[in-house]
Structure formats: C-alpha cells, structure tokens
Amino acid sequence: MDIARLFSSMSDAKEDNKGITKEDWMEELRKVRIQRSEMNRIVLDYLVTEGFKEAAEKFSQETGLKPAVDLDMLDDRIRVREAVQRGDIDEAIQLVNDYDQEILDTNPRLYFFLQQQKLIELIRESKFESAVEFAQTELSDIGEKNPEFLNELERTMALMAFEKPEESPFGDLLHVSQRQKVAGELNSAMLETQDQRTTSKLSNVLKLLLWSQSQLNERNVKYPMMTDIATATLTETQKK
C-alpha cells in the first residue's frame, strides 16, 4: 500500500460521484506505511529552508541526518528574518544589501513590500505625520510606476482613518503574520541567490493538499476535508 493508492481511491470516488466517508478514508490511511527516516528528512528540509538553524542542528543530531547545506549558511537569512519580525525594516534592508545588493535592485515587488512594511510600522507606532511623509516621498512614485501596488498602498494608508487601526477592515496588515509574510519573501529571494529551492518539501505538500481539496469542492465530491492543518482536523463535507 502506498500514497498513490489513496489518490486512486479518491479518483474512483470522484468518477462515480459517491465520494468517500471519513471512516473509509481513515481506514485507507491506516494502511499507509511511511518510513520514519523519510518523515525526518522532510522535517529537516523544512527547518533548513525556513532558516531555523538551532532547531535544525538539534534535529540533525537527534536523527543522525546530515543537512543538505552547511547550516552556517543560514546565519544571514536568520538575521534578516529577525529584523523584520521585530519591525526594524531599515536594518533588514541594510542586511539584505550587505548580503547581495542586487536582490532589491532587481526585485521591485520585494522592495515595495519592504517599504510598505516600514510604513505599517510607522502607523503601528502612531507616527502618522512621519507615515504620510514617508508615503509621499518613498512610496508614491513606486505606486505610479507600478499600478499593481496601488491597492496595497491604499489599504495601508487607510489604517490611519481609524481610531483603532488594528480593529479596522485592514487590521490584518498589523498582525504578526504580515511581518512573517515579508520575512518569508526575503528568505525565498536570498535562497535563490544560493541556487537553493525557495520552498520546503513540506510547504509544497500542503499546497498540493489545498489545491486537491479545492478541486474536489468544485466537483461537489463528498470527502473528509482537512479544515485545520495545524491539528489535522478532518470534517466530512456534504454534497450540495
């Protein structure tokens, strides 16, 4: 029994339009045998790709697996990520430029996201005058040259129209996840310069899972949908 048989079962269910119950799906899963070493390699790949050096070192020691790259190569990416996550965008930009100035010179989208994040940090600190001035001097030209950025700029500026920006319709920009998104974009760009994959194998598997579920939803197939990836919670969908 291998993972291909699971997808074959799902495919058969789609063809006859009967779907598959949660109980039947769990029974199929119990028949799958995945080697622990393979799971360990996937975990280590994720830790290295995302730049979690200490965790990767400890995991490598515990499992006896050797990382695909020298873990000291993670240091630059770690410093950039930490700067973004604490909201110090100027330092993040300086660190990236020290690492490889071409990253931001050749990637206007990434440069915009960094400047947008700096604007967000000014708004977070209620430095509204500085935020307006920064938007006018640093971001307005970028928006004019790249219309695709205008919507994000407008969303960010709209935060200042609310007494409690974090509770506004655009409050997601002030969430920690926004910093993580920018840090992730930078991490991927730096990995490219090292000729490494920009996404981990685990991330690709999760993307495939979400895509597969969207395809089943479009076809109105009854199946056990993973509604919470963090806890692997399955909820049986109902045909419309």
Side-chain angles (χ1 to χ4, degrees):
M1 175 65 192
D2 57 24
I3 201 68
R5 182 174 165 184
L6 283 174
F7 286 102
S8 176
S9 299
M10 201 56 113
S11 177
D12 292 341
K14 182 183 71 175
E15 291 300 325
D16 61 24
N17 206 31
K18 291 180 180 178
I20 184 170
T21 66
K22 181 179 178 180
E23 290 74 18
D24 289 342
W25 183 246
M26 294 305 296
E27 180 61 29
E28 291 294 323
L29 281 177
R30 279 189 284 271
K31 298 175 185 176
V32 176
R33 295 292 181 265
I34 301 177
Q35 294 184 356
R36 180 179 293 275
S37 59
E38 182 61 29
M39 293 297 297
N40 287 341
R41 279 192 286 270
I42 291 175
V43 172
L44 183 58
D45 173 76
Y46 171 80
L47 295 174
V48 172
T49 303
E50 297 300 321
F52 297 111
K53 182 180 179 181
E54 291 185 10
E57 288 175 334
K58 185 174 181 180
F59 192 78
S60 176
Q61 292 170 358
E62 292 177 350
T63 61
L65 291 175
K66 184 178 180 180
V69 300
D70 184 346
L71 292 182
D72 287 339
M73 294 178 64
L74 277 62
D75 291 341
D76 291 319
R77 291 192 282 126
I78 291 171
R79 284 192 287 269
V80 170
R81 184 188 68 218
E82 290 176 344
V84 174
Q85 289 182 336
R86 64 173 176 267
D88 193 340
I89 308 305
D90 285 335
E91 181 177 350
I93 292 174
Q94 185 60 55
L95 287 169
V96 172
N97 284 333
D98 289 344
Y99 174 78
D100 187 341
Q101 190 166 352
E102 288 190 5
I103 290 178
L104 297 182
D105 288 345
T106 59
N107 195 330
R109 177 176 174 274
L110 182 57
Y111 180 72
F112 169 79
F113 281 142
L114 277 168
Q115 297 296 74
Q116 178 194 22
Q117 191 62 40
K118 183 173 180 178
L119 177 60
I120 290 170
E121 299 303 336
L122 289 171
I123 295 172
R124 190 195 307 276
E125 297 172 9
S126 298
K127 297 179 180 179
F128 300 129
E129 290 187 8
S130 296
V132 171
E133 181 180 354
F134 178 74
Q136 291 175 338
T137 58
E138 301 296 335
L139 288 170
S140 59
D141 286 344
I142 298 177
E144 289 178 4
K145 295 177 181 177
N146 303 275
E148 66 270 25
F149 299 148
L150 280 177
N151 182 56
E152 281 299 308
L153 179 56
E154 290 171 357
R155 290 181 71 237
T156 308
M157 294 298 291
L159 287 169
M160 290 187 285
F162 297 88
E163 184 175 348
K164 295 183 178 180
E166 66 279 3
E167 298 178 6
S168 73
F170 314 104
D172 60 291
L173 294 172
L174 294 169
H175 292 173
V176 173
S177 59
Q178 175 66 19
R179 287 178 174 175
Q180 293 172 337
K181 175 183 175 182
V182 174
E185 293 276 353
L186 280 170
N187 186 64
S188 295
M190 294 176 74
L191 280 169
E192 277 192 42
T193 67
Q194 299 172 359
D195 293 324
Q196 296 184 45
R197 284 182 294 102
T198 58
T199 56
S200 66
K201 295 177 181 178
L202 180 59
S203 297
N204 289 334
V205 169
L206 292 178
K207 289 177 183 178
L208 178 59
L209 168 66
L210 295 175
W211 177 83
S212 300
Q213 292 190 160
S214 70
Q215 294 296 303
L216 291 170
N217 291 339
E218 287 181 7
R219 290 165 173 77
N220 193 24
V221 176
K222 180 181 177 181
Y223 72 101
M225 179 178 182
M226 188 173 291
T227 53
D228 189 331
I229 292 177
T231 60
T233 300
L234 294 176
T235 302
E236 199 163 285
T237 61
Q238 299 297 324
K239 292 179 67 174
K240 299 178 182 178

